[in-house]
Amino acid sequence: MVLVLTTAVVGCGMERGHETRSLPADLVRKIDEIAESSMAAGLIPELQVAVIDPEAGTYVHAYGTADLATGRAASIHDSVRIGSVTKTFTATAVLRLADEGKLSLDDRLARYIDHIPYGDTITLRDLLDMRAGVWGLEENADFSEQLIRKTPATEWHEGDYVRAIIDNPDRATPPNTRTEYSNSNFYLLGLVLEKVTGKPVREVLDDLAGRYGLHETSYPADASMPEPAAHGYAYFDENPTDVTARTTPALFGAAGTMVSTISDLAAYTGMLGRGELLRPETFQDRIRVPDSATRADGGYGLGLAVGGSSRWHNGAVLGYTTHIGYLPKLKVTVAVVVNQYTIPPVTFAGLQASPIWSMIVRALYPGALGEDKDTNAPVPAVPSVDQLNTQLRQAFDPSVPAAQRTLHAQAEGKDPDLLGRMGSFLAKYRIMLEVNKVTRIGRSLFATAMSESPLAKTPMVVPLTAEDGQWRVESGWVCDYLGLVGDTSPACG
């Protein structure tokens, strides 16, 4: 892995071209250590980071290799697919139209699109805050094939998404039943934008990016990306596959099609987090989480995730993950982009942008995200590859009683046999794990492994965290796998 190289200064006032202070060297070293270790542990060719701190300074950097075939070095001007960060643009475009009196958030969806199940009761607000009950298409075989097959046998076309929603009314639920994240909500909002403006959604969102002063951000007309581009990679077998051109507007529309650069994202995140281009009262409405939200750290507002300490959004499409976040108390922006993502159930290969973002924020701003009680507790010794292989084999052996395991999971108080459930899943599909690298980053440990089954051989990363003086397998990782086969656990609530 080639470590590179490119650093730029972006104005804290978002006026590019005006130099500001660089982040102090000690903070840069912390970012570099996390980035380089994450790349090594997480099978990441290119990783990009931006930090804008009005007090401490600015750091925007690209690490690694943008194109494995040519070896081209990473650049902060590499285009990347930003996935669901697109939703923040779509939501802002809708909210601006509401500010201009061209639509109302109380408008029914049926006013703009015919035949959507419950369309006569779903409001635009329901779509924005993920409470519309529209089917997310995850179980549509033709759609999922585009994401999880190395070579899809079919091709997804414009209009297929809406037809699938209309043709499966039994998959929909009444609006305001629960908060459920779904790309379908924002795909439909893109069609609403077209109906109200009389323009293709691509033009609407390109115009919005221009109003923000983002000259390297766009909504592609097809599967191509502006050059230079960070190639995106996914694992369908042992080796990374270039999937750069696998995402078309037909797949995600206004829910996940846009591309940008870390330089633009650095500027955009602060403007988004401060509510620029919106009326103040509209922005306050945007970051107000519905009373029905149950997440302890906040919930989903109007096209923006809102926690107690940050306003953020992440994104993931085949080959890329992104996480942008603004810390309003500190007025700090942090953005991370990664050019490797394999969509489950193929494998959970590699580290995504979101955990890397969290590790950077915690390293630079301790306590900013609400730390656990044992943050300053000693970190356990790092096990060797052989030791961790032995511990994982025992932990995932369903015949070993929970009390006799030497390795445990988080949240075992809610489910003492959580790792046994994972072991049953692995046994059912005859999946064998072999760890080949162990990497510690702060209070996290990542076991890079090879997963082998009768169907495929792919890499996998098992995340562990320091808790109660020992390394514990992250319960979220186990729950993600159990969810793939419809299993659940009290520890996954």
Side-chain angles (χ1 to χ4, degrees):
M1 188 71 68
V2 180
L3 176 63
V4 185
L5 80 70
T6 310
T7 307
V9 174
V10 181
C12 294
M14 307 307 152
E15 295 177 353
R16 258 96 57 94
H18 299 277
E19 289 195 2
T20 61
R21 283 179 303 159
S22 296
L23 211 60
D26 60 327
L27 299 185
V28 169
R29 282 194 294 271
K30 290 181 180 181
I31 298 171
D32 289 346
E33 181 180 353
I34 292 171
E36 294 161 20
S37 297
S38 296
M39 292 173 71
L43 309 165
I44 297 169
E46 177 174 355
L47 189 148
Q48 303 179 23
V49 177
V51 176
I52 298 177
D53 185 326
E55 297 294 329
T58 298
Y59 186 65
V60 184
H61 199 82
Y63 306 79
T65 305
D67 185 345
L68 294 178
T70 65
R72 184 178 71 78
S75 164
I76 61 170
H77 298 291
D78 284 340
S79 295
V80 294
R81 298 195 187 280
I82 63 174
S84 288
V85 175
T86 302
K87 293 180 175 68
T88 65
F89 287 89
T90 301
T92 299
V94 171
L95 293 172
R96 281 173 58 81
L97 290 175
D99 279 349
E100 296 167 5
K102 295 179 179 178
L103 57 75
S104 167
L105 301 190
D106 295 324
D107 287 346
R108 298 297 192 265
L109 180 59
R111 176 175 178 178
Y112 304 101
I113 308 171
D114 295 329
H115 309 306
I116 301 298
Y118 298 104
D120 56 345
T121 55
I122 295 170
T123 66
L124 301 188
R125 180 182 293 276
D126 295 334
L127 294 168
L128 285 166
D129 64 15
M130 299 295 183
R131 294 184 59 78
V134 183
W135 182 39
L137 268 66
E138 288 81 3
E139 298 174 10
N140 182 287
D142 290 337
F143 180 77
S144 63
E145 182 177 337
Q146 312 302 312
L147 312 178
I148 65 175
R149 302 294 180 205
K150 186 171 184 177
T151 307
T154 61
E155 183 178 351
W156 198 253
H157 298 95
E158 289 291 344
D160 288 348
Y161 204 113
V162 174
R163 277 191 291 273
I165 293 172
I166 293 172
D167 291 345
N168 291 273
D170 57 312
R171 302 284 191 173
T173 58
N176 283 301
T177 303
R178 62 181 182 272
T179 301
E180 185 172 18
Y181 190 92
S182 168
N183 286 319
S184 297
N185 294 338
F186 278 74
Y187 195 101
L188 295 174
L189 284 170
L191 301 182
V192 171
L193 287 173
E194 293 186 337
K195 186 78 170 182
V196 174
T197 65
K199 300 178 181 178
V201 67
R202 175 172 60 87
E203 292 184 15
V204 176
L205 298 187
D206 281 352
D207 175 71
L208 180 60
R211 290 178 182 274
Y212 277 118
L214 307 176
H215 305 301
E216 297 176 336
T217 301
S218 63
Y219 187 111
D222 50 33
S224 63
M225 293 175 62
E227 294 291 344
H231 287 233
Y233 297 92
Y235 283 90
F236 302 98
D237 47 40
E238 295 180 66
N239 301 308
T241 295
D242 189 328
V243 293
T244 309
R246 284 275 297 272
T247 298
T248 68
L251 281 173
F252 298 108
T257 299
M258 294 182 76
V259 302
S260 188
T261 65
I262 193 66
S263 301
D264 263 13
L265 290 174
Y268 172 64
T269 302
M271 292 188 283
L272 173 69
R274 293 188 296 270
E276 295 185 18
L277 298 187
L278 294 175
R279 291 179 178 177
E281 58 271 24
T282 301
F283 180 64
Q284 289 305 311
D285 189 20
R286 179 176 203 169
I287 61 176
R288 185 180 300 111
V289 176
D291 293 339
S292 53
T294 58
R295 286 179 47 183
D297 61 342
Y300 202 79
L302 302 179
L304 187 64
V306 183
S309 56
S310 63
R311 298 163 187 166
W312 59 275
H313 214 291
N314 56 11
V317 293
L318 192 63
Y320 304 86
T321 64
T322 305
H323 191 113
I324 63 172
Y326 179 71
L327 310 176
K329 291 183 179 179
L330 300 174
K331 299 181 180 179
V332 165
T333 287
V334 181
V336 175
V337 174
V338 168
N339 73 332
Q340 193 279 104
Y341 180 54
T342 306
I343 295 178
V346 180
T347 179
F348 287 93
L351 276 165
Q352 298 181 32
S354 291
I356 300 171
W357 183 91
S358 296
M359 288 189 288
I360 290 173
V361 171
R362 288 191 168 100
L364 269 56
Y365 307 102
L369 299 181
E371 305 295 338
D372 296 331
K373 294 183 299 182
D374 64 348
T375 298
N376 297 316
V379 177
V382 177
S384 68
V385 167
D386 289 341
Q387 288 172 330
L388 195 52
N389 268 318
T390 299
Q391 291 175 339
L392 286 171
R393 289 190 188 108
Q394 184 207 46
F396 293 147
D397 185 342
S399 68
V400 176
Q404 295 180 16
R405 296 184 183 125
T406 58
L407 182 66
H408 299 275
Q410 293 177 305
E412 281 193 344
K414 297 180 180 179
D415 184 358
D417 198 39
L418 183 61
L419 291 183
R421 291 176 185 270
M422 181 67 181
S424 297
F425 164 81
L426 296 174
K428 179 178 180 179
Y429 294 96
R430 292 183 288 169
I431 299 173
M432 301 292 293
L433 298 182
E434 184 72 26
V435 176
N436 52 60
K437 182 187 297 181
V438 180
T439 307
R440 176 196 159 192
I441 308 176
R443 301 187 64 80
S444 297
L445 193 71
F446 299 96
T448 310
M450 189 61 69
S451 163
E452 186 170 4
S453 74
L455 297 177
K457 187 175 183 181
T458 57
M460 175 187 293
V461 177
V462 182
L464 301 93
T465 190
E467 191 175 285
D468 300 327
Q470 59 184 290
W471 293 112
R472 291 179 177 268
V473 178
E474 289 190 4
S475 58
W477 178 81
V478 177
C479 293
D480 284 343
Y481 268 106
L482 296 181
L484 293 176
V485 293
D487 195 3
T488 187
S489 161
C492 301

